[in-house]
Amino acid sequence: MTINIKAIKLHALNMTLNHPFSTSFGTVKDREFYIVEVIDQNGHHGFGESVAFATPWYTEETAQTCFHMMRDFLIPLLQAHPIDHPDDLVALFSPIKKNHMAKAAIEGAIWDLYAKTNNIPLYQALGGNKKTIDVGISIGIQPSIDDLIYRIEQSVQAGYKRVKLKIKPGHDMQVLHSVRQHFPDLPLLADANSAYTLKDIDHLKQLDDFNLMMIEQPLGHDDIIDHATLQKNIHTSICLDESIHSFDDVRHAIQLGSCRVINIKIGRVGGLTEAKRIHDYCRDHHIPIWCGGMLEAGIGRAHNIALTTLPNFTLPGDTAGSAHYWQKDIITPPVVVNDGEITVSDTPGIGYEIDWKALEQFSEYTHTFKF
Ligand code: OSB
Ligand code: MG
């Protein structure tokens, strides 16, 4: 059955986070991104979200490279070649190298449309089976230890299943020591966003004192080899984030012993179809996975929830509730976390309605592509 697309709209949005989010590489306060709206001949609407940031600090993509790729390459490919299933997009987009977040934004909208056309929730279309998902929270670098302890305390009270905090050289062992004094048993992980090198190996061995669930992306953003050396020298499990862009990256990392855990972000790996392949490979190799976050608005968040219902997402991810990020989200209802759990919506597609008034409020302009 062909997916009969009538039009694609790209809504350019700007939203401001409740709290500036700081990592080893800088601070994000304003989110600039695109909502992809795919409309078919039957009047169904599918939605996707581009998750790249305004600047290329996390990966090489930006909101504007996503727009360029979607407008000038990906949408024209779709206009020229109708597809039958969202999985077909991998092959269709393969002449365009990388640009995973641009591809994932369109693919996400088509997955939503596909699920709605079949009158099933997106999570079922993906093969997920959970009624609720467990979630954690990621806390950025704070102005002081007291601020950090306060934010962790709030997160624990809100019931989040685990807390992730950010470390960097000069802001690591001391911070973890203080946090552990206040929260000796809290499920905790640290994310370095690639701030260290192998020269820090003796320093990083001290991480083993803090009973962390894992250390996320300690070394280079594009490294898989050095992480294998580090993993052999520390007890704490390494989780890769930035280094993982594809199924093959995961295969290489697992074969080399570069990590024991994988953080999957739909945008970083180029979409839900690739994320599912990675999920299955990790399941077969007994590598636990969790769903990372990109400070998404509601559409991206809804996709993360749907993906997390797949069975090998055994660790709580970074999908916190809408209110943690936004005064007002662009979906209704917003994503709500109770006792560290999100109840998975059973309505067709992503399971949330667009709040059109909010979308309008945050929209700068809309580009329409006719098919
Ligand atoms: O490294 O996981 C990361 C946010 C932006 C970019 C990279 C990362 C993060 C987070 C927060 O840790 C995830 C979220 O709450 O959406
Ligand atoms: Mg990370």
Side-chain angles (χ1 to χ4, degrees):
M1 200 175 71
T2 311
I3 300 176
N4 278 312
I5 299 173
K6 197 169 88 182
I8 294 185
K9 291 185 181 177
L10 299 182
H11 303 273
L13 268 73
N14 263 297
M15 291 173 72
T16 303
L17 290 163
N18 289 338
H19 308 279
F21 190 86
S22 296
T23 72
S24 58
F25 274 87
T27 302
V28 180
K29 176 82 169 111
D30 297 306
R31 285 295 272 122
E32 171 192 345
F33 58 96
Y34 288 84
I35 293 299
V36 181
E37 179 185 3
V38 183
I39 306 160
D40 77 359
Q41 308 287 351
N42 303 318
H44 290 295
H45 296 239
F47 295 93
E49 180 173 323
S50 71
V51 298
F53 296 105
T55 64
W57 70 270
Y58 171 74
T59 66
E60 72 285 1
E61 291 185 85
T62 68
Q64 287 313 302
T65 69
C66 284
F67 178 61
H68 168 48
M69 286 297 143
M70 292 192 286
R71 180 191 59 191
D72 297 330
F73 298 103
L74 303 174
I75 294 175
L77 271 173
L78 253 178
Q79 284 169 320
H81 307 279
I83 53 159
D84 296 324
H85 189 279
D87 285 342
D88 300 343
L89 289 171
V90 173
L92 180 66
F93 289 164
S94 65
I96 311 298
K97 298 290 181 282
K98 288 284 200 91
N99 290 287
H100 287 174
M101 293 178 186
K103 291 174 180 175
I106 293 193
E107 194 238 35
I110 290 184
W111 265 109
D112 181 26
L113 180 72
Y114 170 82
K116 283 169 176 161
T117 305
N118 288 283
N119 206 29
I120 54 172
L122 175 61
Y123 83 89
Q124 275 177 25
L126 296 171
N129 61 1
K130 296 178 192 149
K131 296 280 166 243
T132 62
I133 60 163
D134 287 352
V135 292
I137 194 165
S138 173
I139 300 174
I141 292 175
Q142 300 298 308
S144 72
I145 295 275
D146 284 350
D147 290 304
L148 177 62
I149 301 293
Y150 173 72
R151 294 289 300 277
I152 297 175
E153 185 60 50
Q154 281 187 318
S155 308
V156 170
Q157 274 170 21
Y160 283 100
K161 301 280 183 188
R162 60 91 172 127
V163 170
K164 161 169 142 184
L165 48 89
K166 300 285 184 177
I167 59 169
K168 62 180 181 182
H171 179 90
D172 47 20
M173 306 310 160
Q174 201 65 49
V175 174
L176 289 168
H177 182 75
S178 304
V179 169
R180 270 300 180 223
Q181 278 189 322
H182 285 83
F183 308 95
D185 304 317
L186 176 69
L188 187 68
L189 65 121
D191 184 359
N193 288 105
S194 73
Y196 299 89
T197 71
L198 261 194
K199 292 203 187 89
D200 300 311
I201 199 158
D202 287 328
H203 180 69
L204 290 170
K205 280 182 187 169
Q206 298 174 69
L207 289 170
D208 290 342
D209 296 342
F210 302 109
N211 187 28
L212 300 176
M213 296 172 77
M214 65 196 92
I215 167 76
E216 185 176 340
Q217 197 71 32
L219 309 179
H221 71 93
D222 52 358
D223 170 77
I224 287 180
I225 308 285
D226 287 350
H227 279 99
T229 305
L230 180 61
Q231 184 66 95
K232 284 187 191 67
N233 284 278
I234 59 173
H235 294 293
T236 306
S237 292
I238 293 176
C239 169
L240 290 179
D241 172 357
E242 281 90 332
S243 297
I244 301 297
H245 296 273
S246 65
F247 177 87
D248 282 336
D249 286 343
V250 170
R251 192 171 54 78
H252 296 154
I254 293 175
Q255 281 178 11
L256 287 171
S258 315
C259 64
R260 300 193 195 117
V261 182
I262 301 269
N263 165 339
I264 296 190
K265 293 185 186 178
I266 301 166
R268 169 163 47 65
V269 303
L272 287 163
T273 299
E274 188 79 357
K276 260 173 9 125
R277 277 184 79 206
I278 293 172
H279 166 276
D280 293 354
Y281 185 86
C282 289
R283 178 198 57 206
D284 296 345
H285 290 78
H286 310 289
I287 296 289
I289 58 180
W290 53 277
C291 183
M294 289 289 284
L295 311 169
E296 290 93 342
I299 305 286
R301 199 161 297 283
H303 282 89
N304 289 344
I305 294 167
L307 180 66
T308 304
T309 66
L310 271 66
N312 197 45
F313 281 86
T314 51
L315 296 167
D318 277 344
T319 311
S322 295
H324 173 61
Y325 307 86
W326 315 111
Q327 277 298 322
K328 174 125 200 63
D329 205 340
I330 56 171
I331 53 166
T332 175
V335 173
V336 177
V337 174
N338 277 316
D339 294 327
E341 292 179 6
I342 295 172
T343 301
V344 181
S345 167
D346 258 319
T347 57
I350 55 173
Y352 295 85
E353 297 295 323
I354 301 299
D355 182 334
W356 288 103
K357 227 177 100 197
L359 190 83
E360 181 100 336
Q361 181 190 340
F362 301 120
S363 268
E364 311 253 283
Y365 51 84
T366 298
H367 294 262
T368 302
F369 302 82
K370 296 252 158 63
F371 277 57

mmCIF file of all heavy atoms in Angstrom, residues 243-259:
data_model
loop_
_atom_site.group_PDB
_atom_site.id
_atom_site.type_symbol
_atom_site.label_atom_id
_atom_site.label_comp_id
_atom_site.label_asym_id
_atom_site.label_seq_id
_atom_site.Cartn_x
_atom_site.Cartn_y
_atom_site.Cartn_z
ATOM 1 N N SER A 243 29.344 8.697 19.982
ATOM 2 C CA SER A 243 30.059 7.850 19.011
ATOM 3 C C SER A 243 29.151 6.970 18.170
ATOM 4 O O SER A 243 29.612 6.355 17.210
ATOM 5 C CB SER A 243 31.041 6.919 19.745
ATOM 6 O OG SER A 243 32.021 7.660 20.407
ATOM 7 N N ILE A 244 27.884 6.879 18.540
ATOM 8 C CA ILE A 244 26.999 5.905 17.892
ATOM 9 C C ILE A 244 26.062 6.574 16.889
ATOM 10 O O ILE A 244 25.109 7.254 17.268
ATOM 11 C CB ILE A 244 26.164 5.144 18.960
ATOM 12 C CG1 ILE A 244 27.081 4.415 19.948
ATOM 13 C CG2 ILE A 244 25.187 4.185 18.295
ATOM 14 C CD1 ILE A 244 27.956 3.331 19.348
ATOM 15 N N HIS A 245 26.355 6.389 15.617
ATOM 16 C CA HIS A 245 25.543 7.002 14.559
ATOM 17 C C HIS A 245 24.795 5.978 13.721
ATOM 18 O O HIS A 245 24.054 6.352 12.817
ATOM 19 C CB HIS A 245 26.417 7.836 13.622
ATOM 20 C CG HIS A 245 27.046 8.990 14.322
ATOM 21 N ND1 HIS A 245 26.422 10.195 14.463
ATOM 22 C CD2 HIS A 245 28.217 9.097 14.985
ATOM 23 C CE1 HIS A 245 27.190 11.012 15.173
ATOM 24 N NE2 HIS A 245 28.286 10.358 15.500
ATOM 25 N N SER A 246 25.047 4.691 13.971
ATOM 26 C CA SER A 246 24.465 3.693 13.077
ATOM 27 C C SER A 246 24.555 2.298 13.695
ATOM 28 O O SER A 246 25.255 2.076 14.685
ATOM 29 C CB SER A 246 25.255 3.667 11.758
ATOM 30 O OG SER A 246 26.580 3.213 12.025
ATOM 31 N N PHE A 247 23.866 1.377 13.050
ATOM 32 C CA PHE A 247 23.944 -0.041 13.384
ATOM 33 C C PHE A 247 25.400 -0.516 13.362
ATOM 34 O O PHE A 247 25.850 -1.215 14.268
ATOM 35 C CB PHE A 247 23.116 -0.818 12.355
ATOM 36 C CG PHE A 247 23.161 -2.303 12.534
ATOM 37 C CD1 PHE A 247 22.281 -2.949 13.382
ATOM 38 C CD2 PHE A 247 24.089 -3.062 11.823
ATOM 39 C CE1 PHE A 247 22.323 -4.332 13.542
ATOM 40 C CE2 PHE A 247 24.142 -4.442 11.979
ATOM 41 C CZ PHE A 247 23.251 -5.075 12.843
ATOM 42 N N ASP A 248 26.155 -0.133 12.331
ATOM 43 C CA ASP A 248 27.545 -0.588 12.231
ATOM 44 C C ASP A 248 28.408 -0.035 13.364
ATOM 45 O O ASP A 248 29.296 -0.728 13.860
ATOM 46 C CB ASP A 248 28.140 -0.216 10.868
ATOM 47 C CG ASP A 248 27.671 -1.175 9.779
ATOM 48 O OD1 ASP A 248 27.304 -2.321 10.107
ATOM 49 O OD2 ASP A 248 27.667 -0.782 8.599
ATOM 50 N N ASP A 249 28.154 1.213 13.778
ATOM 51 C CA ASP A 249 28.897 1.749 14.922
ATOM 52 C C ASP A 249 28.650 0.884 16.159
ATOM 53 O O ASP A 249 29.562 0.601 16.935
ATOM 54 C CB ASP A 249 28.458 3.196 15.223
ATOM 55 C CG ASP A 249 28.995 4.194 14.214
ATOM 56 O OD1 ASP A 249 29.954 3.859 13.479
ATOM 57 O OD2 ASP A 249 28.451 5.323 14.170
ATOM 58 N N VAL A 250 27.407 0.464 16.337
ATOM 59 C CA VAL A 250 27.058 -0.368 17.494
ATOM 60 C C VAL A 250 27.751 -1.728 17.395
ATOM 61 O O VAL A 250 28.335 -2.217 18.366
ATOM 62 C CB VAL A 250 25.523 -0.547 17.593
ATOM 63 C CG1 VAL A 250 25.159 -1.601 18.624
ATOM 64 C CG2 VAL A 250 24.863 0.788 17.929
ATOM 65 N N ARG A 251 27.708 -2.292 16.195
ATOM 66 C CA ARG A 251 28.351 -3.586 15.975
ATOM 67 C C ARG A 251 29.852 -3.489 16.287
ATOM 68 O O ARG A 251 30.407 -4.321 17.006
ATOM 69 C CB ARG A 251 28.126 -3.995 14.505
ATOM 70 C CG ARG A 251 28.462 -5.420 14.151
ATOM 71 C CD ARG A 251 27.979 -5.757 12.742
ATOM 72 N NE ARG A 251 28.465 -4.843 11.712
ATOM 73 C CZ ARG A 251 29.700 -4.870 11.198
ATOM 74 N NH1 ARG A 251 30.568 -5.761 11.606
ATOM 75 N NH2 ARG A 251 30.052 -4.003 10.264
ATOM 76 N N HIS A 252 30.486 -2.444 15.782
ATOM 77 C CA HIS A 252 31.924 -2.267 16.033
ATOM 78 C C HIS A 252 32.196 -2.083 17.522
ATOM 79 O O HIS A 252 33.122 -2.693 18.079
ATOM 80 C CB HIS A 252 32.461 -1.050 15.267
ATOM 81 C CG HIS A 252 32.390 -1.199 13.785
ATOM 82 N ND1 HIS A 252 32.302 -0.130 12.917
ATOM 83 C CD2 HIS A 252 32.381 -2.314 13.000
ATOM 84 C CE1 HIS A 252 32.244 -0.572 11.668
ATOM 85 N NE2 HIS A 252 32.293 -1.885 11.698
ATOM 86 N N ALA A 253 31.410 -1.252 18.172
ATOM 87 C CA ALA A 253 31.639 -0.956 19.592
ATOM 88 C C ALA A 253 31.486 -2.216 20.440
ATOM 89 O O ALA A 253 32.291 -2.470 21.344
ATOM 90 C CB ALA A 253 30.677 0.132 20.060
ATOM 91 N N ILE A 254 30.489 -3.018 20.126
ATOM 92 C CA ILE A 254 30.268 -4.225 20.918
ATOM 93 C C ILE A 254 31.367 -5.253 20.634
ATOM 94 O O ILE A 254 31.913 -5.872 21.550
ATOM 95 C CB ILE A 254 28.849 -4.789 20.665
ATOM 96 C CG1 ILE A 254 27.813 -3.800 21.227
ATOM 97 C CG2 ILE A 254 28.684 -6.178 21.292
ATOM 98 C CD1 ILE A 254 26.373 -4.163 20.949
ATOM 99 N N GLN A 255 31.727 -5.392 19.359
ATOM 100 C CA GLN A 255 32.790 -6.350 19.020
ATOM 101 C C GLN A 255 34.116 -5.965 19.658
ATOM 102 O O GLN A 255 34.880 -6.832 20.083
ATOM 103 C CB GLN A 255 32.943 -6.450 17.503
ATOM 104 C CG GLN A 255 31.869 -7.342 16.886
ATOM 105 C CD GLN A 255 31.963 -7.426 15.368
ATOM 106 O OE1 GLN A 255 32.948 -6.993 14.763
ATOM 107 N NE2 GLN A 255 30.935 -7.977 14.756
ATOM 108 N N LEU A 256 34.387 -4.660 19.738
ATOM 109 C CA LEU A 256 35.663 -4.205 20.300
ATOM 110 C C LEU A 256 35.643 -4.121 21.821
ATOM 111 O O LEU A 256 36.684 -3.944 22.444
ATOM 112 C CB LEU A 256 36.023 -2.829 19.735
ATOM 113 C CG LEU A 256 36.480 -2.787 18.282
ATOM 114 C CD1 LEU A 256 36.587 -1.345 17.805
ATOM 115 C CD2 LEU A 256 37.822 -3.493 18.125
ATOM 116 N N GLY A 257 34.475 -4.213 22.418
ATOM 117 C CA GLY A 257 34.383 -4.058 23.876
ATOM 118 C C GLY A 257 34.529 -2.604 24.312
ATOM 119 O O GLY A 257 35.049 -2.313 25.386
ATOM 120 N N SER A 258 34.048 -1.684 23.484
ATOM 121 C CA SER A 258 34.186 -0.254 23.778
ATOM 122 C C SER A 258 33.181 0.239 24.802
ATOM 123 O O SER A 258 33.327 1.343 25.327
ATOM 124 C CB SER A 258 33.999 0.559 22.499
ATOM 125 O OG SER A 258 34.726 -0.016 21.440
ATOM 126 N N CYS A 259 32.147 -0.539 25.043
ATOM 127 C CA CYS A 259 31.116 -0.135 26.000
ATOM 128 C C CYS A 259 30.327 -1.364 26.419
ATOM 129 O O CYS A 259 30.410 -2.400 25.775
ATOM 130 C CB CYS A 259 30.166 0.886 25.357
ATOM 131 S SG CYS A 259 29.240 0.222 23.965
#
